[in-house]
Every structure is written in C-alpha cells, then in structure tokens.
Amino acid sequence: MADDGRRGDEEDRGPGAAHQVFVVMECLLEKLKVLNYEEEVLAKHNMKNLSRHYFVSSPYLASNPGEQFYMFTIMAAWLINVAGRPFTEPQEYDEPNATVSNILAELRAFGVKVDFPPSKLKTGSGEYVCFVLDRLAEEALKRRGFTFRRPNYPSENTEEESVIEDDAELTLSKVEEEMIEEPDDEEENVMDLEALKLRTTHIEAEPSSKPDEILESTVDAAEWNLEVERVLPQLKVTIRTDNKDWRIHVDQMHQHRDGIKSSLKEAKSYLDKLQEDIGKTLEKVSSREKYINNQLEHLIQEYRSAQAKLSEISEELEKVKQEMEEKGSSMSDGAPVVKIKQSLTKLKQEVVQMDVRIGVVEHTLLQAKLKEKSNMTRDMHATNIPEPAAGTFT
C-alpha cells in the first residue's frame, strides 16, 4: 500500500518527476565540491572523482551496485562527521543492513523525515540515495556556516533592440500575409528572388554612360500604364517559407492544442462514464468478496485444520520412509555376511591349529607315560633278581 501511495505521488508530480533525480544529483555534486570532498574523501581512499550522475539509477547509465553502495556509505559517514555527529566509517565487508540502519538513524536525528524502507538504499543508487546524501550535505554546509545566495544579474538596456526586432517581425508578418492572400494562379508569372538578384548583378556590371543632356520622355502615358500593368506581375518577389521557422512551429502547436482540446471534450464524457462504471464494478466486486469470505469462513477453518493434519501425516510418512530405506540398505548390504564368512574361516584355521597342538600334547603325554612305565618295570625287575650262591664258583 505504501508503494502504491508513493507511485500515486510520483504521478501527481508530473511527467518531469522521473528526471528530478538528475537535478538533485547535480546539486549534490556542487555541494560536495564546496565541502572539498576531493581532498577529504577521494584522496584519502584513492578514489576517482564522481560523475555528474553517479548515484542516479537509469537504464541508460552504467551501474556497479557494490561500488556505488560502498561509495554511498563512505560519503554518508563523512558528511555525518562534518555535520558534527560522530560516526564510525563503515568498512567494505560490513553488514549492509546494519550500515543503512545506522545512517538512517543519524538522518532522523537531524530532524529529517524518512518514509521509505532501508532496502531502497542497498542498491547504492536511485532517488532515495541522492535524497539522503543531499540532506546530509545540507546539514554539513550549515555546520560550516555556508549558505547559497541568490545571483545578482547585471541590468541591460534592451528596449531599443526589442523595438527593432518587433518592427522587423511586424514587416515580415505583413509580407507573409500578403503572400497568403495572393491567388495561386499567379505563381507562374512571379519572378524568383534568386533570378532577380542575378539580373540586378548583371545590370550593375554593365558600363554606365552619363547622358550629356537631360532626357525627356516621348512615350505616351496610356501606353506607359499598359506596359506597367503588363510587367507588374513579374516584379513581385516571393520569399520561400522555411519549415524550420519558429512561426510555423508555433502555428502547428496551436493547431495541435486545438485538436487536443476538441478531442478531450469528446473523450472526457466517455472517460467519466467509464470511470463511474469501473467504480461501481469495483464496489460490487468488493461486496461480493466480503460475502464470499463470510460464507466460506468455516470451510476455510476446516481447510486449515486439514492442511495442518496433512503436514503432520507427511512428516510421519517421511520418517517411515527414511526408516524403511535405512533397513532396506542394511538388509541389502553384503558387508556383514562377508565379515561372518571371514570369521568362520579364521575359526576353522584356529581349530586346525588347536587340533595340531592337542595331538602334540597327547603324543608328549603318551611318551611320558610309556617312559614312566618302562622305568617302573625296570625297577621291579631289579628288585626281584635272586643273589647267586657263594660256593658255586669255588
């Protein structure tokens, strides 16, 4: 709604409102030059001079939003400091929204009414950027005690020139009126101005001879009058009209204005009627819309509750799908089976090794038992052998 109101205000301002930003930008540049921004800002940041329409947003001008926004923040911070309020100079990588909000807060502190959203300044160009910088420049000039004065124009005496021009225009207008009143069938007998000039030059080039005595006319007056009437059409001079003449353009403007007025009278009644019909139709549509909203209020509530339930069901369905996918992926995954086979193979190898060890141990125990048994048998035989008789060998 705010954009519609602002658009209506722009239409009320007239067709030249779109070009007003160019004028504001040019005035802003002059104010910046008075504040010596070349040395205090541009030289400090090693920047180029601003063009006449640097902050103007137009499809016919080259634009660089990032560079323009950075230049806007630098200029705004410098102007706020010059105006007497401390303001930290923003850096290139600072948050744009915070920087714009701080600049608008300082602008409101100067008593300037801000009725546009901060997002209009993030592009770095446009009507609102020029407006903010212009108002800050005004405050900076007030701080430094500078004011623009009205120019004093020297008085000039142009009365005589205007009188001469008016007489010349009056004479030329009379000649044009006489030319318009002449009939068209006499154009063939009219001598061209260029031909008249050539004839006059040819006559002046011939040698003149002064008569020795006073000449007396021997021609009859009646014949002279007849000759004058015969030659008179050839003595008329025509002045060719130029399409670039401002009088022709003025006449055309008057004609177009009369045509527009007559067309406006005819179309105004139709336009008024059309406006009235459109107004009635809009009222009908608005009333019908309210009636439909009242009738469908309970259905809308049911639809909202059903939509909420649908969202919950959709969330649960997504969870179930995710669990099924996880289980399916785990079931189709062959990694556990491979691990089990590897474990079985390893167990078999270990069982074989244990069998070998058990056999070795059993063999060792068997040898030990046999050895022990043989030793016991030998000891038994040794204790049971009788002693030989003493007299046998004697």
Side-chain angles (χ1 to χ4, degrees):
M1 295 299 292
D3 294 338
D4 295 339
R6 189 175 296 107
R7 192 179 299 110
D9 295 340
E10 292 179 356
E11 293 177 356
D12 294 339
R13 286 187 293 177
H19 306 283
Q20 182 65 24
V21 65
F22 291 89
V23 180
V24 175
M25 178 59 205
E26 292 179 2
C27 295
L28 170 63
L29 188 59
E30 295 298 328
K31 295 173 183 177
L32 293 177
K33 290 180 180 178
V34 171
L35 293 170
N36 196 17
Y37 85 106
E38 294 96 340
E39 297 181 359
E40 297 185 12
V41 180
L42 299 184
K44 179 181 177 182
H45 295 85
N46 194 17
M47 295 178 176
K48 298 180 180 179
N49 290 336
L50 300 181
S51 60
R52 291 176 58 193
H53 305 138
Y54 182 79
F55 290 113
V56 176
S57 177
S58 174
Y60 304 101
L61 298 176
S63 62
N64 188 350
E67 177 185 348
Q68 289 174 324
F69 179 74
Y70 179 65
M71 179 66 75
F72 163 69
T73 56
I74 293 296
M75 286 292 177
W78 173 68
L79 290 173
I80 292 171
N81 288 319
V82 173
R85 294 184 64 86
F87 191 84
T88 305
E89 184 177 293
Q91 301 299 322
E92 188 174 0
Y93 299 101
D94 288 350
E95 178 63 25
N97 295 324
T99 303
V100 169
S101 299
N102 294 333
I103 292 173
L104 291 180
E106 294 294 335
L107 187 64
R108 292 188 183 96
F110 288 115
V112 179
K113 183 180 179 182
V114 179
D115 58 351
F116 54 87
S119 59
K120 295 291 185 180
L121 302 179
K122 293 174 65 176
T123 58
S125 62
E127 177 183 359
Y128 301 104
V129 171
C130 296
F131 168 76
V132 171
L133 292 177
D134 185 67
R135 296 309 300 268
L136 291 176
E138 288 284 347
E139 297 297 332
L141 290 173
K142 290 179 182 179
R143 179 71 176 181
R144 291 190 176 181
F146 181 86
T147 56
F148 288 98
R149 298 179 180 177
R150 292 183 178 273
N152 296 324
Y153 298 101
S155 59
E156 297 179 357
N157 297 326
T158 58
E159 295 180 358
E160 297 180 357
E161 296 179 0
S162 62
V163 171
I164 295 173
E165 291 178 357
D166 293 340
D167 293 340
E169 293 177 359
L170 183 59
T171 305
L172 186 58
S173 63
K174 288 183 179 180
V175 174
E176 292 179 353
E177 291 176 358
E178 292 177 357
M179 291 174 57
I180 294 173
E181 293 176 356
E182 292 177 357
D184 296 335
D185 55 359
E186 295 182 359
E187 290 183 357
E188 297 178 357
N189 298 327
V190 176
M191 184 181 297
D192 190 12
L193 182 60
E194 297 295 331
L196 182 61
K197 289 181 179 179
L198 293 174
R199 181 174 296 182
T200 305
T201 306
H202 179 69
I203 293 173
E204 291 178 354
E206 294 181 355
S208 60
S209 59
K210 295 182 179 180
D212 297 334
E213 57 184 7
I214 299 174
L215 297 178
E216 293 182 359
S217 177
T218 58
V219 181
D220 188 11
E223 294 179 358
W224 181 266
N225 292 329
L226 292 174
E227 184 66 19
V228 169
E229 291 178 358
R230 185 180 66 83
V231 182
L232 183 61
Q234 299 180 3
L235 297 178
K236 292 182 179 180
V237 180
T238 59
I239 299 177
R240 296 179 180 177
T241 59
D242 189 4
N243 291 330
K244 297 181 180 179
D245 190 4
W246 63 271
R247 295 176 183 81
I248 297 175
H249 293 295
V250 171
D251 294 337
Q252 291 178 354
M253 289 172 63
H254 287 301
Q255 293 177 1
H256 292 318
R257 183 186 64 181
D258 296 337
I260 291 171
K261 286 183 178 180
S262 60
S263 300
L264 181 61
K265 290 179 180 179
E266 296 177 0
K268 188 175 182 181
S269 59
Y270 296 105
L271 293 175
D272 293 339
K273 185 177 180 181
L274 181 61
Q275 181 182 5
E276 185 178 356
D277 294 340
I278 292 173
K280 292 180 180 178
T281 304
L282 289 176
E283 290 179 358
K284 291 181 181 179
V285 170
S286 177
S287 61
R288 190 63 179 173
E289 183 179 0
K290 292 179 180 178
Y291 174 76
I292 292 173
N293 290 333
N294 293 330
Q295 293 294 324
L296 300 179
E297 183 67 26
H298 63 287
L299 296 177
I300 293 173
Q301 295 294 334
E302 292 178 0
Y303 173 74
R304 289 175 180 174
S305 61
Q307 191 174 11
K309 292 180 181 179
L310 178 61
S311 62
E312 294 178 0
I313 295 172
S314 299
E315 292 178 358
E316 294 179 358
L317 181 61
E318 289 295 331
K319 291 181 180 178
V320 172
K321 286 183 178 180
Q322 187 175 1
E323 292 177 358
M324 291 179 65
E325 288 178 357
E326 291 177 357
K327 290 182 179 179
S329 61
S330 62
M331 293 175 65
S332 60
D333 191 6
V337 177
V338 173
K339 290 182 180 179
I340 292 172
K341 289 182 179 180
Q342 292 176 355
S343 300
L344 290 174
T345 304
K346 189 175 180 180
L347 286 173
K348 288 180 181 180
Q349 292 177 357
E350 291 179 354
V351 167
V352 171
Q353 292 177 0
M354 291 297 294
D355 290 340
V356 172
R357 290 179 181 179
I358 291 171
V360 171
V361 171
E362 288 179 350
H363 179 69
T364 303
L365 289 174
L366 181 60
Q367 286 184 349
K369 288 181 178 181
L370 290 174
K371 186 175 180 180
E372 184 180 0
K373 187 176 180 181
S374 63
N375 291 331
M376 290 177 65
T377 303
R378 187 181 58 188
D379 292 338
M380 290 176 64
H381 284 292
T383 56
N384 294 326
I385 295 174
E387 294 181 0
T392 306
F393 298 101
T394 59

